[in-house]
Amino acid sequence: IRTAAAEPLAALKNGVVVPVVNTDTVFADTVSTVLSGVPAAVAQAVSPTATAAIAPADAVSGAQSDSIDPASATTLLINAVEKLRTDGAALAMQSADPASVRGLVLGAAAMTAAQAVAAASSLTYASQDDAILSRDRLLAMLDALVDDIETLAATSGANIPVSGMLGAVRDSKAAITADISERLGRLPAVVSVAVPRAMSAWLVAYAVAGDTPDTVESVWADMVVRNGLRQPAVTGPGTVKMLKQAQAS
């Protein structure tokens, strides 16, 4: 991630020189490019052939060697949005010009959220539960942005049109919901399997998957990760979450 975001991080560190006269959009455009550079680089590196949601291609790394796991990138960007929101709210309370602070932070958070959605589009899901969890995380992030937009609109001195941004966020929520709903029908459910006594996780996997070696191995691997089994040689007694296996025809 550091490699992918090296150039935009340097630009962010250097900052933007405030012009003596600000009569056009050059300063605002430059600030937007700098703020969007890091999240755009992270999203671009998830899939080097894809185009990031914000920022020109020459503003991001996107080299094949910079490839980032989409789950890690999505989590990083969602966490960054929350960090921006939390720190921005604190700064606005301390500022003599809270409207300007909220407007700037909202812009940065919105651009980062857009990249989180872009990164999430490369995710694959092992189960319906995994897809629903991802959907809910993205929707919660966007709901928080709606709250911030409404807070900005109600802030004294904030002469910023927000209807377009609200519409874009709502469109994103609808698209995410539709995408995950379409995928759910092709994904297995997660079921709870009772383990009556302490036993090897391999025995549980065999009991669920049958005697097909490839299937047993994949079921075992998913069970270990899904349940956080630190010592998979022994599991139970209790309940473990496992992918529901398709019934043989």
Side-chain angles (χ1 to χ4, degrees), residues 120-246:
S121 68
S122 296
L123 288 170
T124 56
Y125 305 106
S127 72
Q128 294 176 1
D129 284 16
D130 297 335
I132 291 171
L133 177 61
S134 176
R135 178 201 66 189
D136 290 349
R137 290 177 67 206
L138 291 170
L139 294 182
M141 175 189 70
L142 295 176
D143 283 339
L145 279 185
V146 170
D147 292 341
D148 290 347
I149 293 170
E150 293 174 345
T151 297
L152 175 62
T155 301
S156 176
N159 298 316
I160 302 174
V162 297
S163 59
M165 188 178 295
L166 279 172
V169 172
R170 288 167 180 154
D171 288 347
S172 295
K173 290 178 62 180
I176 291 166
T177 301
D179 176 58
I180 297 301
S181 296
E182 193 274 334
R183 295 196 200 193
L184 287 178
R186 304 194 302 270
L187 293 170
V190 173
V191 295
S192 297
V193 176
V195 182
R197 57 181 174 79
M199 63 178 66
S200 168
W202 282 107
L203 291 177
V204 179
Y206 270 106
V208 171
D211 295 329
T212 306
D214 290 344
T215 303
V216 171
E217 184 175 355
S218 63
V219 167
W220 176 85
D222 178 82
M223 178 176 59
V224 170
V225 173
R226 188 173 299 280
N227 295 277
L229 301 181
R230 295 185 177 182
Q231 295 181 323
V234 179
T235 186
T239 302
V240 293
K241 300 288 187 180
M242 303 183 69
L243 293 179
K244 183 177 182 180
Q245 300 300 299

Side-chain angles (χ1 to χ4, degrees), residues 16-66:
V16 179
V17 177
V18 179
V20 177
V21 179
N22 184 23
T23 58
D24 53 29
T25 65
V26 173
F27 176 62
D29 292 343
T30 303
V31 171
S32 296
T33 298
V34 170
L35 290 177
S36 66
V38 173
V42 173
Q44 183 78 6
V46 168
S47 180
T49 58
T51 302
I54 298 174
D58 58 0
V60 298
S61 176
Q64 185 68 40
S65 60
D66 294 342

